Amino acid sequence: MGLFAGYDMPMRYPPGIVREHLHTRQQASLFDVSHMGQIYISGADAPIHLESLIPMDIVSLAVGKQKYGLLLNENGGIVDDLMIARIARTEFILVVNASCKTNDFSYLKGKLGKSLNIEIRDDRSLLALQGPKSSDVMNQLGHDLSQMEFMSIAEITLDGVPCLFSRSGYTGEDGFEISMRHDHAVVVAELLLSSPDVAWAGLGARDSLRMEAGLPLYGHEITQDTTPAEAGLSWAVSKPRRLQGQRAGGFPGDHIVLPQIAGGVSRLLVGLQPVGRMPVRKGAALEDDIGNPVGTVTSGGFSPSLWKPVCLGYVNPEYADSAGQSGLHAVVRGKRLPVRVTRLPFVKRNYYRICKTH
């Protein structure tokens, strides 16, 4: 167990991080992510009001669908990244980071509280079933979710417990995030664990999985000093909200974010492959051949899937497209270790997509 965002959280279980990680890649793992915030928002014209803070096309988001979104400050920095799902015409659920949820709630309440009903649901838990056998597990339990699309939501009853399922997650694998009342969480967890394909996994494996998948983590790759374009998240700013779009701008930091998307930035997030076996951790400086500073490592560790160290970091734009090239060094305990820029993700993402024929 370990302290994370004010919660005593399972970092790893007896099998250890490597086995938990590989089990997720091969079968299915269950993560307790109940520390995440769940915020319910409803009211007339809720899509338009939410678009004043989140640079997404929320107006066109269909009922039963969700998207990845960003809350930005006036300088275009990322206050938080989140998932937003539309459960009815004027009702939405936001799943936000644990370390940000109190501030997110206050921010949303202060900006939209006069127009919308905003409620933080501290009475709900969140479990994440992740891995290629996740859909098979649900089928074993009598629920055929094979045709449920990626980034969609559905209300499903498990052993008499009403749950809200979303086909999503943050491991790079297929899977589901499942919300239910706190007093029903143990029942749902035990039911899922009754499958021989499912085992517990902790935050250690969750971090190594998301890093392999090249997914940014709040407090590491994304902060209030990081913009969407710098973090490779321009796609999270919907086309209707960009320059020349139908509803261009109108969100905090638009005067910085939109020109950056159109014209470029002074640093970019990349994957980095250390040469050798020594891991390179968060905070390590990146230098060029002659010792000039060119960036910083934001996450680093060991990849169980590749059996070698990997890391993420920001570099000057001229180095961002030099995939496979050396010439960069990470400074670790006073030593300069060679690293290579590599394309993300390190490991292919296996989100479930329905193949449509025409």
Side-chain angles (χ1 to χ4, degrees):
M1 304 295 286
L3 194 65
F4 180 80
Y7 292 84
D8 199 21
M9 296 293 296
M11 296 298 174
R12 63 180 182 272
Y13 291 86
I17 292 173
V18 170
R19 289 188 179 180
E20 294 168 26
H21 178 115
L22 296 176
H23 187 87
T24 309
R25 290 274 185 247
Q26 297 160 4
Q27 293 177 270
S29 294
L30 188 63
F31 298 81
D32 183 354
V33 288
S34 300
H35 59 309
M36 303 287 282
Q38 300 182 61
I39 300 175
Y40 280 53
I41 297 178
S42 63
D45 297 322
I48 293 295
H49 288 300
L50 284 169
E51 281 197 1
S52 70
L53 298 180
I54 302 174
M56 289 169 52
D57 181 8
I58 299 176
V59 168
S60 299
L61 182 63
V63 174
K65 298 292 184 181
Q66 69 174 2
K67 285 185 177 181
Y68 176 86
L70 303 169
L71 279 176
L72 305 177
N73 60 31
E74 294 298 331
N75 295 318
I78 301 172
V79 175
D80 199 6
D81 64 332
L82 52 86
M83 301 296 291
I84 178 169
R86 192 170 194 168
I87 57 174
R89 189 181 68 83
T90 60
E91 296 179 27
F92 296 83
I93 299 174
L94 277 61
V95 178
V96 302
N97 283 299
S99 60
C100 304
K101 64 181 179 182
T102 301
N103 288 338
D104 288 353
F105 176 71
S106 298
Y107 178 72
L108 291 164
K109 194 78 173 175
K111 294 287 187 180
L112 305 177
K114 294 181 180 179
S115 306
L116 304 177
N117 176 52
I118 302 171
E119 180 184 8
I120 190 164
R121 294 297 301 270
D122 282 331
D123 61 330
R124 297 189 72 83
S125 291
L126 192 67
L127 299 173
L129 179 67
Q130 298 285 292
K133 292 194 175 181
S134 296
S135 183
D136 293 341
V137 170
M138 294 309 304
N139 198 41
Q140 294 166 17
L141 298 176
H143 297 276
D144 183 3
L145 303 183
S146 60
Q147 296 304 301
M148 184 177 179
E149 294 183 346
F150 178 59
M151 297 295 274
S152 62
I153 62 172
E155 293 184 357
I156 295 171
T157 300
L158 281 180
D159 200 25
V161 176
C163 300
L164 184 65
F165 273 66
S166 67
R167 194 157 201 170
S168 60
Y170 221 61
T171 62
E173 293 292 338
D174 182 27
F176 306 93
E177 292 195 337
I178 310 162
S179 172
M180 76 296 294
R181 278 176 31 191
H182 280 327
D183 52 350
H184 291 149
V186 171
V187 171
V188 173
E190 290 178 343
L191 185 64
L192 295 169
L193 290 163
S194 68
S195 168
D197 293 324
V198 181
W200 279 115
L203 290 191
R206 184 173 165 88
D207 188 52
S208 59
L209 288 158
R210 70 91 194 168
M211 193 159 42
E212 284 186 350
L215 300 174
L217 180 65
Y218 192 84
H220 289 246
E221 287 70 48
I222 47 181
T223 69
Q224 296 208 31
D225 297 317
T226 307
T227 66
E230 292 173 332
L233 297 174
S234 294
W235 56 268
V237 179
S238 302
K239 288 185 178 180
R241 311 301 307 282
R242 299 188 191 184
L243 296 175
Q244 316 305 321
Q246 297 172 339
R247 298 186 304 284
F251 55 85
D254 57 358
H255 62 293
I256 293 175
V257 171
L258 297 184
Q260 283 188 348
I261 292 175
V265 292
S266 60
R267 62 173 184 162
L268 285 167
L269 182 66
V270 298
L272 297 162
Q273 177 64 68
V275 178
R277 307 295 293 177
M278 183 177 290
V280 178
R281 304 292 183 182
K282 177 184 177 181
L286 295 169
E287 298 177 346
D288 65 13
D289 272 337
I290 59 175
N292 295 316
V294 297
T296 308
V297 172
T298 53
S299 291
F302 183 76
S303 163
S305 300
L306 303 175
W307 209 248
K308 58 186 178 182
V310 296
C311 47
L312 301 171
Y314 283 95
V315 297
N316 296 346
E318 60 265 32
Y319 296 98
D321 292 327
S322 57
Q325 300 298 311
S326 56
L328 294 184
H329 295 79
V331 181
V332 179
R333 295 194 290 274
K335 295 182 178 180
R336 283 164 43 89
L337 303 178
V339 297
R340 293 191 178 99
V341 174
T342 184
R343 300 188 191 284
L344 294 173
F346 297 104
V347 174
K348 181 179 178 292
R349 299 168 189 163
N350 295 309
Y351 302 132
Y352 179 72
R353 308 286 186 181
I354 295 178
C355 296
K356 297 181 180 179
T357 57
H358 299 280

